[in-house]
């Protein structure tokens, strides 16, 4: 458990926080800013990120590979690449999160799935992107919008022929689980 942390301006290693082979990791009430590359890089792990502010990452705000990740009530702003990158068979659930001023808000690729509920996007070059990047995975990304609060995206979305975007109208989700 990492709680009430404030990390900024790493200059030696590429990722500010890197989690590998971790289970039941909780990152709560964090402030991460001005990371050299990824602010939080999650590989082959199970992680919950809650009430975090991630600002001005040199690459991705949160990057997941082959991981299970929950992102709750957080704010991701100013990533030079993706606010949230979901790849290599990851499953990510996002609720109550604001994603703004990133090159790409959320990207899903390589048989990964991201589900988004009660969240918002603003001033990203592209809000949602899903595609097949690596042929070894055999497919693209999947994005599930679980409510209509994301209607204002109005075409700021790229989905390739190997990927999917589903929009549901779910009235309420218990984000405590």
């Amino acid at each position: 458990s990492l709680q009430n942390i404030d990390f900024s301006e790493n200059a030696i290693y590429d990722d500010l926080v890197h989690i590998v082979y971790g289970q039941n990791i909780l990152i709560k009430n964090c402030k991460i800013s001005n990371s050299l590359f990824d602010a939080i890089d999650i590989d082959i792990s199970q992680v919950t990120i809650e009430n975090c502010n991630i600002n001005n990452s040199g690459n991705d705000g949160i990057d997941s590979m082959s991981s299970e990740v929950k992102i709750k009530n957080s704010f991701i702003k100013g990533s030079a690449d993706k606010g949230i990158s979901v790849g290599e068979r990851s499953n990510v659930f996002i609720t109550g999160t604001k994603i703004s001023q990133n090159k790409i808000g959320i990207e899903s690729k390589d048989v990964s799935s991201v589900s988004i509920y009660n969240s918002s996007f603003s001033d990203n070059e592209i809000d949602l992107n899903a595609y097949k990047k690596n042929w070894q995975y055999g497919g693209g990304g999947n994005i599930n919008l679980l409510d209509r609060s994301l209607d204002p995206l109005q075409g700021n979305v790229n989905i390739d022929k190997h990927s999917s975007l589903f929009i549901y109208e779910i009235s309420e989700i218990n984000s405590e689980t």
Side-chain angles (χ1 to χ4, degrees):
S1 178
L2 299 169
Q3 296 191 46
N4 304 310
I5 59 172
D6 189 345
F7 292 136
S8 64
E9 301 187 31
N10 61 315
I12 297 173
Y13 299 103
D14 56 352
D15 303 324
L16 206 142
V17 175
H18 194 175
I19 299 167
V20 183
Y21 299 116
Q23 296 299 311
N24 300 314
I25 305 294
L26 173 65
I27 303 173
K28 187 172 182 178
N29 301 324
C30 71
K31 292 181 183 176
I32 299 175
S33 58
N34 303 314
S35 60
L36 184 59
F37 289 102
D38 295 344
I40 302 174
D41 192 338
I42 303 165
D43 296 332
I44 314 165
S45 297
Q46 186 271 321
V47 176
T48 298
I49 298 167
E50 188 171 346
N51 298 321
C52 286
N53 287 318
I54 299 170
N55 293 293
N56 302 319
S57 60
N59 196 41
D60 301 334
I62 299 170
D63 183 4
S64 66
M65 180 190 84
S66 303
S67 295
E68 300 284 329
V69 180
K70 293 179 186 173
I71 302 167
K72 303 177 185 179
N73 305 319
S74 293
F75 185 70
I76 302 164
K77 178 181 177 184
S79 300
D81 198 6
K82 293 160 298 273
I84 301 171
S85 179
V86 182
E88 296 89 6
R89 290 192 178 95
S90 288
N91 288 300
V92 174
F93 176 73
I94 301 165
T95 184
T97 296
K98 296 179 181 177
I99 301 162
S100 68
Q101 299 177 15
N102 305 286
K103 182 175 179 183
I104 299 170
I106 298 174
E107 181 169 275
S108 180
K109 58 190 172 288
D110 299 334
V111 194
S112 293
S113 183
V114 59
S115 297
I116 306 159
Y117 178 75
N118 192 29
S119 295
S120 64
F121 295 81
S122 65
D123 301 319
N124 300 296
E125 289 181 34
I126 298 169
D127 289 320
L128 299 173
N129 191 47
Y131 73 107
K132 178 181 174 181
K133 179 179 181 181
N134 194 329
W135 65 268
Q136 289 106 327
Y137 288 93
N142 178 46
I143 298 174
N144 299 300
L145 303 179
L146 302 179
D147 64 7
R148 291 287 183 178
S149 66
L150 300 174
D151 279 344
L153 298 181
Q154 296 189 12
N156 197 16
V157 173
N158 293 323
I159 309 295
D160 80 0
K161 67 181 182 179
H162 305 284
S163 302
S164 60
L165 170 65
F166 295 101
I167 301 173
Y168 302 91
E169 289 192 48
I170 298 174
S171 59
E172 186 174 330
I173 290 179
N174 180 358
S175 63
E176 298 301 314
T177 58

